[in-house]
Amino acid sequence: MEWPAYLDEYEKLVIGMNTPKVVIDNAVCPAATLVKVDSASRKHGVLLEAIHVLTDLNLSVKKAYISSDGRWFMDVFHVTDQFGNKLTDDSVISYLEQSLDTGNPEINRSHRCEGLTALELTGTDRPGLLSEVFAVLADLQCDVVEVTVWTHNGRVACILFLKDQFSGSPLDDAQRIHRIESRLRHVLEGDHGVRSGKTAVTTMAVAHPDSRLHQLMLADRDYERGSSAPASSTFVSVQNWDERGYSVVNVQCCDRPKLLFDIVCTLTDMQYVVFHGTIDTDGDSAHQEFYIRHKNGSLIDSEAERHRVIQCLQAAIERRASGGTRLELCIEDRPGLLSDVTRTFRENGLLVTRAEASTKGDMASDVFYVTDAAGQAANPKAIEAVRLKIGFDHLKVKEEQRPRFCRKESTDREASPGGVGTGLFYLGSLVRRNLYNLGLIKSCS
């Protein structure tokens, strides 16, 4: 590291102690690459930033160990690429080392959406909503460069990056922005003022849209379930370990990409700090356990707070696990493309449950998950009708994705009359086991 000339030796020492040390090891584990990050400080959100970097590279975390001992912290992630292979690309390894080693991965993350206007939407989901949103933007000569849409529990959140259709510049005229917001707010008002739709144009950089979508849906209270809504099938438990001063969160569900990110992101947004944790996968099943405290050092001290944490984590896991048929669109970009595509979905009775769309150069690369209007599997005839209209070579059916919620039956390990299950580790044992898994000690006994 090259130090600025104005720093004295003490300042260099302090910065060096607080800068994460990164080791990437392909020799220890035959099936995964080990990414080790250790630091002398655990600022709020630092763990999430490390997971951000892994998520941006579409890496899967198969196991992880999160440990703190006094003021020293070490996190180890067993990762593979999206095909289940160890990391062998030198450019990927170099990016990991540089991004994690700065102690602030946001500095190194490329902002593909610089020079664009970010628009955030939340509201009540309904058939045809996206079609109306994109139609308004096309009518107001706004090009959609990138968009991410999530739906959950009858709510929708969306982040769009826009530019002027003719100049390619950001939208910076206050009257035009007001007109865009006003028209979109009218589109989103589908529940007669109860939790009505919200729009916001922001000039702040949105470095990680997925993080922001979690924040938007959390603020929109998508975790609240009506009396007619089915119970969540994702198992989450929260218990206090008073002797050690931790609240212990257990999550059991189906494994999927970005699961760890979604859970830690939500805990961070709710102002909790993760001090210890273990993440393990067994086939399609994932078991994650976290030892947490509130940012102010307190534990989860009421039944209402415990219930809210459980609901929010269940919602965070389910937002990205919505079922539907995956459709991939690759076509030359043009003004109004998304308006036309989503209108075709609507005309054929298809509901978009999740979407990611972006443009690179002259090409649009979009992914949609669709169901019928009732949220059931889409009719294959409707899918084929849409493909006929858009073009069979441009719109391809990739897979049928069903909601992936696994739940293991609760056992005596997970709860006991004393409030802490026998399956919860004695903390010293947890740390020793993590150090053993890191290869730093010869035995965990």
Side-chain angles (χ1 to χ4, degrees), residues 214-239:
H214 276 303
Q215 292 171 356
L216 290 173
M217 299 204 88
L218 182 65
D220 195 47
R221 307 194 308 277
D222 74 311
Y223 55 86
E224 295 180 349
R225 297 178 183 272
S227 57
S228 60
S232 174
S233 57
T234 300
F235 177 79
V236 180
S237 69
V238 178
Q239 303 160 43

PDB file of all heavy atoms in Angstrom, residues 214-239:
ATOM      1  N   HIS A 214     -34.152  -4.074  -0.557  1.00  0.00           N
ATOM      2  CA  HIS A 214     -34.472  -4.592   0.769  1.00  0.00           C
ATOM      3  C   HIS A 214     -34.930  -3.458   1.690  1.00  0.00           C
ATOM      4  O   HIS A 214     -35.907  -3.607   2.435  1.00  0.00           O
ATOM      5  CB  HIS A 214     -33.258  -5.291   1.381  1.00  0.00           C
ATOM      6  CG  HIS A 214     -33.097  -6.717   0.955  1.00  0.00           C
ATOM      7  ND1 HIS A 214     -34.081  -7.671   1.133  1.00  0.00           N
ATOM      8  CD2 HIS A 214     -32.059  -7.366   0.354  1.00  0.00           C
ATOM      9  CE1 HIS A 214     -33.656  -8.842   0.674  1.00  0.00           C
ATOM     10  NE2 HIS A 214     -32.431  -8.676   0.198  1.00  0.00           N
ATOM     11  N   GLN A 215     -34.236  -2.329   1.641  1.00  0.00           N
ATOM     12  CA  GLN A 215     -34.608  -1.191   2.488  1.00  0.00           C
ATOM     13  C   GLN A 215     -35.995  -0.666   2.127  1.00  0.00           C
ATOM     14  O   GLN A 215     -36.800  -0.345   3.010  1.00  0.00           O
ATOM     15  CB  GLN A 215     -33.565  -0.081   2.352  1.00  0.00           C
ATOM     16  CG  GLN A 215     -32.211  -0.441   2.928  1.00  0.00           C
ATOM     17  CD  GLN A 215     -31.138   0.582   2.583  1.00  0.00           C
ATOM     18  OE1 GLN A 215     -31.375   1.541   1.838  1.00  0.00           O
ATOM     19  NE2 GLN A 215     -29.941   0.380   3.116  1.00  0.00           N
ATOM     20  N   LEU A 216     -36.277  -0.569   0.831  1.00  0.00           N
ATOM     21  CA  LEU A 216     -37.575  -0.057   0.393  1.00  0.00           C
ATOM     22  C   LEU A 216     -38.711  -0.977   0.856  1.00  0.00           C
ATOM     23  O   LEU A 216     -39.750  -0.504   1.345  1.00  0.00           O
ATOM     24  CB  LEU A 216     -37.604   0.088  -1.127  1.00  0.00           C
ATOM     25  CG  LEU A 216     -36.744   1.197  -1.721  1.00  0.00           C
ATOM     26  CD1 LEU A 216     -36.742   1.111  -3.248  1.00  0.00           C
ATOM     27  CD2 LEU A 216     -37.236   2.574  -1.281  1.00  0.00           C
ATOM     28  N   MET A 217     -38.527  -2.291   0.693  1.00  0.00           N
ATOM     29  CA  MET A 217     -39.600  -3.208   1.059  1.00  0.00           C
ATOM     30  C   MET A 217     -39.741  -3.331   2.571  1.00  0.00           C
ATOM     31  O   MET A 217     -40.848  -3.502   3.091  1.00  0.00           O
ATOM     32  CB  MET A 217     -39.362  -4.579   0.419  1.00  0.00           C
ATOM     33  CG  MET A 217     -39.340  -4.530  -1.097  1.00  0.00           C
ATOM     34  SD  MET A 217     -39.732  -6.092  -1.926  1.00  0.00           S
ATOM     35  CE  MET A 217     -41.518  -5.977  -2.050  1.00  0.00           C
ATOM     36  N   LEU A 218     -38.624  -3.203   3.297  1.00  0.00           N
ATOM     37  CA  LEU A 218     -38.701  -3.188   4.759  1.00  0.00           C
ATOM     38  C   LEU A 218     -39.486  -1.966   5.227  1.00  0.00           C
ATOM     39  O   LEU A 218     -40.367  -2.076   6.091  1.00  0.00           O
ATOM     40  CB  LEU A 218     -37.291  -3.177   5.348  1.00  0.00           C
ATOM     41  CG  LEU A 218     -37.171  -3.205   6.875  1.00  0.00           C
ATOM     42  CD1 LEU A 218     -37.717  -4.507   7.435  1.00  0.00           C
ATOM     43  CD2 LEU A 218     -35.710  -3.009   7.299  1.00  0.00           C
ATOM     44  N   ALA A 219     -39.178  -0.797   4.645  1.00  0.00           N
ATOM     45  CA  ALA A 219     -39.901   0.425   5.022  1.00  0.00           C
ATOM     46  C   ALA A 219     -41.366   0.347   4.618  1.00  0.00           C
ATOM     47  O   ALA A 219     -42.234   0.942   5.272  1.00  0.00           O
ATOM     48  CB  ALA A 219     -39.230   1.635   4.364  1.00  0.00           C
ATOM     49  N   ASP A 220     -41.658  -0.405   3.560  1.00  0.00           N
ATOM     50  CA  ASP A 220     -43.034  -0.557   3.079  1.00  0.00           C
ATOM     51  C   ASP A 220     -43.797  -1.631   3.862  1.00  0.00           C
ATOM     52  O   ASP A 220     -44.981  -1.856   3.604  1.00  0.00           O
ATOM     53  CB  ASP A 220     -43.004  -0.912   1.583  1.00  0.00           C
ATOM     54  CG  ASP A 220     -44.356  -0.740   0.912  1.00  0.00           C
ATOM     55  OD1 ASP A 220     -44.996   0.302   1.116  1.00  0.00           O
ATOM     56  OD2 ASP A 220     -44.780  -1.672   0.204  1.00  0.00           O
ATOM     57  N   ARG A 221     -43.106  -2.303   4.785  1.00  0.00           N
ATOM     58  CA  ARG A 221     -43.700  -3.305   5.667  1.00  0.00           C
ATOM     59  C   ARG A 221     -44.295  -4.479   4.890  1.00  0.00           C
ATOM     60  O   ARG A 221     -45.388  -4.958   5.201  1.00  0.00           O
ATOM     61  CB  ARG A 221     -44.757  -2.679   6.591  1.00  0.00           C
ATOM     62  CG  ARG A 221     -44.271  -1.487   7.384  1.00  0.00           C
ATOM     63  CD  ARG A 221     -45.220  -1.123   8.525  1.00  0.00           C
ATOM     64  NE  ARG A 221     -46.598  -0.964   8.094  1.00  0.00           N
ATOM     65  CZ  ARG A 221     -47.119   0.133   7.561  1.00  0.00           C
ATOM     66  NH1 ARG A 221     -46.341   1.194   7.356  1.00  0.00           N
ATOM     67  NH2 ARG A 221     -48.390   0.203   7.225  1.00  0.00           N
ATOM     68  N   ASP A 222     -43.564  -4.945   3.897  1.00  0.00           N
ATOM     69  CA  ASP A 222     -44.049  -6.104   3.146  1.00  0.00           C
ATOM     70  C   ASP A 222     -44.017  -7.363   3.991  1.00  0.00           C
ATOM     71  O   ASP A 222     -44.583  -8.394   3.609  1.00  0.00           O
ATOM     72  CB  ASP A 222     -43.208  -6.311   1.875  1.00  0.00           C
ATOM     73  CG  ASP A 222     -41.830  -6.879   2.171  1.00  0.00           C
ATOM     74  OD1 ASP A 222     -41.153  -6.325   3.073  1.00  0.00           O
ATOM     75  OD2 ASP A 222     -41.431  -7.865   1.523  1.00  0.00           O
ATOM     76  N   TYR A 223     -43.361  -7.319   5.157  1.00  0.00           N
ATOM     77  CA  TYR A 223     -43.294  -8.485   6.041  1.00  0.00           C
ATOM     78  C   TYR A 223     -44.587  -8.716   6.793  1.00  0.00           C
ATOM     79  O   TYR A 223     -44.781  -9.790   7.382  1.00  0.00           O
ATOM     80  CB  TYR A 223     -42.135  -8.324   7.037  1.00  0.00           C
ATOM     81  CG  TYR A 223     -42.181  -7.045   7.841  1.00  0.00           C
ATOM     82  CD1 TYR A 223     -42.922  -6.963   9.012  1.00  0.00           C
ATOM     83  CD2 TYR A 223     -41.484  -5.918   7.414  1.00  0.00           C
ATOM     84  CE1 TYR A 223     -42.967  -5.784   9.748  1.00  0.00           C
ATOM     85  CE2 TYR A 223     -41.517  -4.736   8.144  1.00  0.00           C
ATOM     86  CZ  TYR A 223     -42.268  -4.673   9.312  1.00  0.00           C
ATOM     87  OH  TYR A 223     -42.309  -3.492  10.022  1.00  0.00           O
ATOM     88  N   GLU A 224     -45.483  -7.739   6.816  1.00  0.00           N
ATOM     89  CA  GLU A 224     -46.753  -7.898   7.521  1.00  0.00           C
ATOM     90  C   GLU A 224     -47.690  -8.768   6.695  1.00  0.00           C
ATOM     91  O   GLU A 224     -47.916  -8.511   5.511  1.00  0.00           O
ATOM     92  CB  GLU A 224     -47.392  -6.536   7.777  1.00  0.00           C
ATOM     93  CG  GLU A 224     -46.583  -5.664   8.733  1.00  0.00           C
ATOM     94  CD  GLU A 224     -47.247  -4.314   8.964  1.00  0.00           C
ATOM     95  OE1 GLU A 224     -48.210  -3.987   8.227  1.00  0.00           O
ATOM     96  OE2 GLU A 224     -46.792  -3.585   9.864  1.00  0.00           O
ATOM     97  N   ARG A 225     -48.239  -9.782   7.323  1.00  0.00           N
ATOM     98  CA  ARG A 225     -49.113 -10.724   6.629  1.00  0.00           C
ATOM     99  C   ARG A 225     -50.545 -10.534   7.113  1.00  0.00           C
ATOM    100  O   ARG A 225     -50.805 -10.476   8.312  1.00  0.00           O
ATOM    101  CB  ARG A 225     -48.681 -12.176   6.876  1.00  0.00           C
ATOM    102  CG  ARG A 225     -47.304 -12.494   6.336  1.00  0.00           C
ATOM    103  CD  ARG A 225     -46.902 -13.922   6.651  1.00  0.00           C
ATOM    104  NE  ARG A 225     -45.552 -14.190   6.200  1.00  0.00           N
ATOM    105  CZ  ARG A 225     -45.240 -14.624   4.981  1.00  0.00           C
ATOM    106  NH1 ARG A 225     -46.197 -14.822   4.096  1.00  0.00           N
ATOM    107  NH2 ARG A 225     -43.985 -14.840   4.652  1.00  0.00           N
ATOM    108  N   GLY A 226     -51.459 -10.436   6.168  1.00  0.00           N
ATOM    109  CA  GLY A 226     -52.867 -10.334   6.520  1.00  0.00           C
ATOM    110  C   GLY A 226     -53.380 -11.652   7.072  1.00  0.00           C
ATOM    111  O   GLY A 226     -52.719 -12.704   6.996  1.00  0.00           O
ATOM    112  N   SER A 227     -54.583 -11.614   7.613  1.00  0.00           N
ATOM    113  CA  SER A 227     -55.158 -12.822   8.225  1.00  0.00           C
ATOM    114  C   SER A 227     -55.380 -13.930   7.209  1.00  0.00           C
ATOM    115  O   SER A 227     -55.375 -15.113   7.551  1.00  0.00           O
ATOM    116  CB  SER A 227     -56.484 -12.471   8.913  1.00  0.00           C
ATOM    117  OG  SER A 227     -57.383 -11.882   7.973  1.00  0.00           O
ATOM    118  N   SER A 228     -55.559 -13.551   5.937  1.00  0.00           N
ATOM    119  CA  SER A 228     -55.812 -14.561   4.906  1.00  0.00           C
ATOM    120  C   SER A 228     -54.537 -15.062   4.242  1.00  0.00           C
ATOM    121  O   SER A 228     -54.574 -15.999   3.449  1.00  0.00           O
ATOM    122  CB  SER A 228     -56.746 -13.979   3.834  1.00  0.00           C
ATOM    123  OG  SER A 228     -56.146 -12.843   3.222  1.00  0.00           O
ATOM    124  N   ALA A 229     -53.400 -14.427   4.545  1.00  0.00           N
ATOM    125  CA  ALA A 229     -52.144 -14.816   3.906  1.00  0.00           C
ATOM    126  C   ALA A 229     -51.635 -16.123   4.505  1.00  0.00           C
ATOM    127  O   ALA A 229     -51.753 -16.346   5.716  1.00  0.00           O
ATOM    128  CB  ALA A 229     -51.098 -13.728   4.086  1.00  0.00           C
ATOM    129  N   PRO A 230     -51.059 -17.001   3.692  1.00  0.00           N
ATOM    130  CA  PRO A 230     -50.518 -18.255   4.226  1.00  0.00           C
ATOM    131  C   PRO A 230     -49.304 -17.979   5.104  1.00  0.00           C
ATOM    132  O   PRO A 230     -48.569 -17.013   4.900  1.00  0.00           O
ATOM    133  CB  PRO A 230     -50.127 -19.035   2.961  1.00  0.00           C
ATOM    134  CG  PRO A 230     -49.902 -17.985   1.919  1.00  0.00           C
ATOM    135  CD  PRO A 230     -50.872 -16.888   2.229  1.00  0.00           C
ATOM    136  N   ALA A 231     -49.102 -18.840   6.094  1.00  0.00           N
ATOM    137  CA  ALA A 231     -47.941 -18.698   6.970  1.00  0.00           C
ATOM    138  C   ALA A 231     -46.661 -18.974   6.189  1.00  0.00           C
ATOM    139  O   ALA A 231     -46.650 -19.734   5.221  1.00  0.00           O
ATOM    140  CB  ALA A 231     -48.062 -19.662   8.147  1.00  0.00           C
ATOM    141  N   SER A 232     -45.595 -18.341   6.604  1.00  0.00           N
ATOM    142  CA  SER A 232     -44.314 -18.552   5.934  1.00  0.00           C
ATOM    143  C   SER A 232     -43.825 -19.968   6.185  1.00  0.00           C
ATOM    144  O   SER A 232     -43.978 -20.524   7.279  1.00  0.00           O
ATOM    145  CB  SER A 232     -43.282 -17.551   6.445  1.00  0.00           C
ATOM    146  OG  SER A 232     -42.015 -17.834   5.909  1.00  0.00           O
ATOM    147  N   SER A 233     -43.224 -20.555   5.168  1.00  0.00           N
ATOM    148  CA  SER A 233     -42.664 -21.897   5.310  1.00  0.00           C
ATOM    149  C   SER A 233     -41.164 -21.849   5.580  1.00  0.00           C
ATOM    150  O   SER A 233     -40.504 -22.881   5.631  1.00  0.00           O
ATOM    151  CB  SER A 233     -42.933 -22.713   4.038  1.00  0.00           C
ATOM    152  OG  SER A 233     -42.392 -22.053   2.908  1.00  0.00           O
ATOM    153  N   THR A 234     -40.606 -20.655   5.751  1.00  0.00           N
ATOM    154  CA  THR A 234     -39.192 -20.489   6.080  1.00  0.00           C
ATOM    155  C   THR A 234     -39.029 -20.473   7.592  1.00  0.00           C
ATOM    156  O   THR A 234     -39.677 -19.672   8.278  1.00  0.00           O
ATOM    157  CB  THR A 234     -38.648 -19.182   5.483  1.00  0.00           C
ATOM    158  OG1 THR A 234     -38.789 -19.217   4.063  1.00  0.00           O
ATOM    159  CG2 THR A 234     -37.180 -18.995   5.840  1.00  0.00           C
ATOM    160  N   PHE A 235     -38.177 -21.351   8.127  1.00  0.00           N
ATOM    161  CA  PHE A 235     -38.027 -21.453   9.570  1.00  0.00           C
ATOM    162  C   PHE A 235     -37.003 -20.450  10.079  1.00  0.00           C
ATOM    163  O   PHE A 235     -35.845 -20.447   9.645  1.00  0.00           O
ATOM    164  CB  PHE A 235     -37.604 -22.861   9.978  1.00  0.00           C
ATOM    165  CG  PHE A 235     -37.378 -22.997  11.459  1.00  0.00           C
ATOM    166  CD1 PHE A 235     -38.450 -23.141  12.318  1.00  0.00           C
ATOM    167  CD2 PHE A 235     -36.093 -22.927  11.979  1.00  0.00           C
ATOM    168  CE1 PHE A 235     -38.248 -23.241  13.689  1.00  0.00           C
ATOM    169  CE2 PHE A 235     -35.885 -23.032  13.339  1.00  0.00           C
ATOM    170  CZ  PHE A 235     -36.967 -23.183  14.200  1.00  0.00           C
ATOM    171  N   VAL A 236     -37.430 -19.589  11.004  1.00  0.00           N
ATOM    172  CA  VAL A 236     -36.536 -18.645  11.673  1.00  0.00           C
ATOM    173  C   VAL A 236     -36.864 -18.672  13.156  1.00  0.00           C
ATOM    174  O   VAL A 236     -38.038 -18.606  13.545  1.00  0.00           O
ATOM    175  CB  VAL A 236     -36.707 -17.204  11.138  1.00  0.00           C
ATOM    176  CG1 VAL A 236     -35.754 -16.256  11.868  1.00  0.00           C
ATOM    177  CG2 VAL A 236     -36.465 -17.140   9.631  1.00  0.00           C
ATOM    178  N   SER A 237     -35.832 -18.787  13.987  1.00  0.00           N
ATOM    179  CA  SER A 237     -36.042 -18.700  15.437  1.00  0.00           C
ATOM    180  C   SER A 237     -35.097 -17.667  16.016  1.00  0.00           C
ATOM    181  O   SER A 237     -33.993 -17.445  15.493  1.00  0.00           O
ATOM    182  CB  SER A 237     -35.820 -20.059  16.113  1.00  0.00           C
ATOM    183  OG  SER A 237     -34.450 -20.417  16.073  1.00  0.00           O
ATOM    184  N   VAL A 238     -35.528 -17.012  17.089  1.00  0.00           N
ATOM    185  CA  VAL A 238     -34.716 -16.014  17.790  1.00  0.00           C
ATOM    186  C   VAL A 238     -34.795 -16.308  19.281  1.00  0.00           C
ATOM    187  O   VAL A 238     -35.893 -16.374  19.841  1.00  0.00           O
ATOM    188  CB  VAL A 238     -35.207 -14.585  17.514  1.00  0.00           C
ATOM    189  CG1 VAL A 238     -34.373 -13.575  18.295  1.00  0.00           C
ATOM    190  CG2 VAL A 238     -35.151 -14.267  16.015  1.00  0.00           C
ATOM    191  N   GLN A 239     -33.648 -16.513  19.907  1.00  0.00           N
ATOM    192  CA  GLN A 239     -33.577 -16.792  21.340  1.00  0.00           C
ATOM    193  C   GLN A 239     -32.455 -15.967  21.950  1.00  0.00           C
ATOM    194  O   GLN A 239     -31.472 -15.661  21.261  1.00  0.00           O
ATOM    195  CB  GLN A 239     -33.305 -18.280  21.576  1.00  0.00           C
ATOM    196  CG  GLN A 239     -34.319 -19.217  20.937  1.00  0.00           C
ATOM    197  CD  GLN A 239     -33.776 -20.616  20.781  1.00  0.00           C
ATOM    198  OE1 GLN A 239     -33.138 -21.133  21.684  1.00  0.00           O
ATOM    199  NE2 GLN A 239     -34.013 -21.234  19.630  1.00  0.00           N
TER     200      GLN A 239
END
